[in-house]
Structures are given as structure tokens and as C-alpha cells.
């Protein structure tokens, strides 16, 4: 079978991505412009498409009569028209479970950097501000410990549970948020509004759906009476960027540490970028998932899935 990889450049060069067993013709592009005709031309005789972030809409899918499988090299599936896949008998696979170490560790990198003003103090050393201050230490922004703080986890899947384990190792109290507007399903969960009201840090790990779009908005931010730090390694659209930026600027919340944005790559008119100099704001470019070990694990899972699919044809 022929497989076309549209955006191999989303992986590290150091990670080997060989053709799965059963793929006899393997065409790899570093990146593919979001252009329907270009995508159709590149995939016109493909049985399988590998894609990370290239959007595959109904027009593209309907124009590829040989297509049998779209294999995403990610967990999120928002970039593919699933209904069009069903209509044209195209299987749609994603990959899950590969970033259960990478994303939680990145979560705490962001959390600690914001609470201890890591980027801010790095700049103070490198730009000469510490030297000018003349003191043996510089501490104009307080350092905040994790121990004894309350962490609210929104999205209690595999990653949310691993974040919970790490948080408890730091001595944090952890609350699992029930879905908004729902009664807690059992004693392990806490009412959504109570989590907002009582958390010192809120960590987002939920998928982006119609129910979680702008889950963090002007109204929910107003309920955060402890002025928490918000950490987002979920999806950019879970947060209303303008409302979040306004909340940080008005000191309604302590800060924001995020790996994801509503538009990716983000643009200079994103309201969040107005916060770039804030000592408790830190950004990373949607790479929490992508430690080298996680990328290698992802390809291992993907290869097994694809090989199994081909063997059944």
C-alpha cells in the first residue's frame, strides 16, 4: 500500500520514522501548505495519509478514491472531517497514550516557571539588572512554593491522573473537577465551581469540544476567588484569550502558563502576547507532547496500528 506523510517536519529530525510493515510505497513531505489542490495532488493515489496538523476536509476526502485510512500522528482529531470519512468508507485513526510522561512533566515546568518567575529572573540576570541592583540576591517578585497549595485538575484522563501523582509528590492537595453543571459522580470529584473558587493553581487537561470551548471565560474567571495561576496544556480554545488576558492585567488571576493557543502558530495580534513581560506568564509553542521519547513511542503505536490495518485488508 502507498502511504503519504504530509508533515513529517512536526517531528524531531533525530526521531526515526520508518514505514510501517505493509507499506510498500512511502512518500514523505516535510510540510504541506494548507491548500486543497496541493493536498489532493500529493495524495491522489495514496491508500493511507499520515498527518499531524494538515486539515483534511470533505472536498479533499471525496477527491481521493483510493484512500482507505487517515492516520493522524496526534491525539486530537479536529483537523479531519470525520463525517466525510464515514461517507467515503475511510477509516480515521489517532494515537493516544504516547505523551503520558512528556505532557505532565511539561505541565510542571510551566507551573514552576510561573510560580517562581523563572523567565523573569533569567532575564534579570542576563540583561544586567542583578548586577545593577548590587545585592547578593534579587527577589522583587515573590517565589511561590507548590507544597500545601491546592491544585484543581480539569480533565481527569490519563494525563490528568499523572499530574495528580506528581502534584501529591510536591505536597499539593488535588481536586478533580466534575463537568461543569454536573453533580460530582463520586467522592473523588469536586463540584466544578468549588474547584474554581478554592484552587491556587488550575491545570487544564480536557479535550476541546462544544462543551469546553471557552470553558475559561469572563464568568468562570470571576469565580476564581483565590486568584490562581492557570496552566493550559489542553487546547487553546478551552480558554477565551481576551478574557484571560484581561484577568491577568487586572490582577483577577495570578498568571497564565500555556503551551496552546486559539490560533497556532499564534500571531502578533493575539491578546495573550500583551502579557509576554508579566513575571508569572510563560508560553511554549505547542510542544508539551513532543519529548524525544514521546515521539518515538507515538511512532511505535502508530506503526502497529497501521500494520494491523493493512493486514486486515
Amino acid at each position: 500500500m502507498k502511504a503519504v506523510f504530509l508533515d513529517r517536519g512536526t517531528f524531531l529530525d533525530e526521531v526515526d520514522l520508518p514505514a510501517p510493515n505493509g507499506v510498500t510505497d512511502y512518500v514523505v513531505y516535510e510540510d504541506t501548505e494548507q491548500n486543497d489542490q496541493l493536498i489532493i495532488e500529493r495524495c491522489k493515489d495514496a491508500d493511507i495519509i499520515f498527518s499531524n496538523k494538515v486539515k483534511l476536509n470533505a472536498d479533499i476526502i471525496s477527491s481521493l478514491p483510493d484512500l482507505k485510512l487517515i492516520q493522524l500522528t496526534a491525539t486530537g482529531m479536529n483537523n479531519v472531517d470525520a463525517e466525510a470519512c464515514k461517507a467515503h468508507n475511510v477509516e480515521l485513526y489517532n494515537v493516544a497514550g504516547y505523551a503520558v510522561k512528556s505532557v505532565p512533566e511539561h505541565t510542571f515546568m510551566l507551573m514552576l516557571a510561573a510560580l517562581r518567575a523563572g523567565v523573569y529572573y533569567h532575564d534579570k540576570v542576563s540583561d544586567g539588572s542583578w548586577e545593577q541592583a548590587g545585592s547578593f540576591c534579587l527577589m522583587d517578585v515573590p517565589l511561590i512554593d507548590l507544597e500545601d497549595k491546592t491544585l484543581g485538575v480539569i480533565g481527569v484522563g490519563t494525563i490528568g491522573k499523572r499530574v495528580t501523582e506528581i502534584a501529591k509528590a510536591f505536597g499539593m492537595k488535588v481536586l478533580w473537577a466534575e463537568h461543569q453543571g454536573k453533580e460530582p459522580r463520586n467522592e473523588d470529584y469536586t463540584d466544578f465551581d468549588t474547584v474554581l473558587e478554592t484552587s491556587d493553581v488550575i491545570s487544564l487537561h480536557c479535550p476541546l469540544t462544544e462543551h469546553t470551548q471557552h470553558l475559561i471565560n469572563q464568568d468562570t474567571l470571576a469565580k476564581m476567588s483565590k486568584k490562581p495561576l492557570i496552566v493550559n496544556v489542553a487546547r487553546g480554545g478551552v480558554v477565551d484569550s481576551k478574557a484571560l488576558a484581561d484577568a491577568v492585567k487586572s490582577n483577577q488571576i495570578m498568571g497564565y502558563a500555556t503551551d496552546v493557543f486559539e490560533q497556532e502558530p499564534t500571531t502578533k495580534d493575539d491578546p495573550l502576547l500583551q502579557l509576554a513581560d508579566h513575571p508569572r506568564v510563560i508560553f511554549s509553542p505547542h510542544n508539551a507532547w513532543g519529548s524525544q521519547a514521546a515521539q518515538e513511542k507515538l511512532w511505535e503505536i502508530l506503526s502497529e496500528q497501521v500494520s494491523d490495518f493493512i493486514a486486515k485488508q
Side-chain angles (χ1 to χ4, degrees):
M1 285 195 179
K2 179 175 181 178
V4 175
F5 195 168
L6 291 174
D7 50 359
R8 192 258 182 259
T10 56
F11 283 75
L12 291 167
D13 292 340
E14 293 82 359
V15 176
D16 188 25
L17 306 177
N21 291 334
V23 173
T24 54
D25 187 359
Y26 186 37
V27 179
V28 178
Y29 298 98
E30 278 297 299
D31 58 75
T32 298
E33 181 184 348
Q34 193 62 54
N35 177 292
D36 285 10
Q37 288 307 308
L38 174 62
I39 296 167
I40 291 168
E41 177 62 27
R42 289 185 168 184
C43 301
K44 61 185 178 183
D45 54 355
D47 299 287
I48 301 169
I49 295 174
F50 298 154
S51 173
N52 193 327
K53 297 303 177 189
V54 178
K55 295 178 182 178
L56 302 172
N57 59 37
D59 289 340
I60 293 170
I61 294 166
S62 65
S63 300
L64 300 171
D66 295 330
L67 187 61
K68 301 175 180 63
L69 169 66
I70 295 173
Q71 171 64 73
L72 295 171
T73 64
T75 302
M77 303 172 75
N78 308 69
N79 55 323
V80 178
D81 189 323
E83 292 303 315
C85 288
K86 290 179 183 177
H88 294 279
N89 297 312
V90 175
E91 291 291 326
L92 175 60
Y93 291 176
N94 68 345
V95 184
Y98 59 90
V100 294
K101 297 178 182 177
S102 185
V103 172
E105 290 185 18
H106 200 94
T107 299
F108 280 89
M109 181 278 290
L110 293 172
M111 193 185 303
L112 287 162
L115 290 175
R116 302 186 79 84
V119 175
Y120 174 83
Y121 282 121
H122 168 86
D123 290 343
K124 292 299 181 183
V125 174
S126 59
D127 69 9
S129 297
W130 184 26
E131 180 183 9
Q132 292 172 14
S135 175
F136 83 97
C137 74
L138 185 64
M139 207 175 300
D140 53 342
V141 175
L143 308 182
I144 299 174
D145 296 333
L146 294 181
E147 188 170 6
D148 296 327
K149 297 296 187 294
T150 297
L151 173 66
V153 175
I154 298 177
V156 190
T158 304
I159 290 173
K161 289 176 180 175
R162 178 58 181 152
V163 166
T164 297
E165 293 174 358
I166 298 171
K168 289 181 177 179
F170 273 106
M172 301 184 82
K173 175 184 177 182
V174 181
L175 301 178
W176 287 356
E178 184 53 86
H179 293 301
Q180 189 177 28
K182 303 289 186 180
E183 289 294 317
R185 68 196 74 178
N186 57 44
E187 62 183 13
D188 293 331
Y189 287 79
T190 299
D191 174 76
F192 183 82
D193 284 355
T194 300
V195 171
L196 298 187
E197 292 164 5
T198 58
S199 295
D200 300 291
V201 181
I202 294 173
S203 195
L204 305 175
H205 303 282
C206 52
L208 180 60
T209 69
E210 60 181 326
H211 302 295
T212 62
Q213 176 74 31
H214 286 185
L215 180 68
I216 305 303
N217 55 45
Q218 187 174 20
D219 292 337
T220 52
L221 286 161
K223 297 175 180 179
M224 300 178 186
S225 56
K226 293 184 75 173
K227 298 183 178 181
L229 169 72
I230 298 176
V231 182
N232 188 3
V233 292
R235 287 292 183 266
V238 173
V239 170
D240 180 334
S241 296
K242 185 179 185 308
L244 191 289
D246 289 344
V248 173
K249 287 187 285 188
S250 66
N251 199 33
Q252 188 177 12
I253 61 172
M254 181 195 308
Y256 187 50
T258 188
D259 182 57
V260 288
F261 297 82
E262 292 199 70
Q263 180 178 331
E264 296 177 340
T266 192
T267 59
K268 62 183 179 181
D269 58 350
D270 188 323
L272 293 175
L273 296 189
Q274 300 171 13
L275 307 174
D277 294 330
H278 192 287
R280 300 209 192 279
V281 170
I282 180 172
F283 304 135
S284 59
H286 200 148
N287 60 10
W289 65 276
S291 70
Q292 184 166 340
Q295 293 188 27
E296 290 168 350
K297 182 65 175 178
L298 186 158
W299 201 255
E300 178 185 325
I301 296 170
L302 178 150
S303 296
E304 184 174 345
Q305 289 181 175
V306 171
S307 295
D308 288 347
F309 172 82
I310 293 172
K312 293 173 183 177
Q313 298 306 299

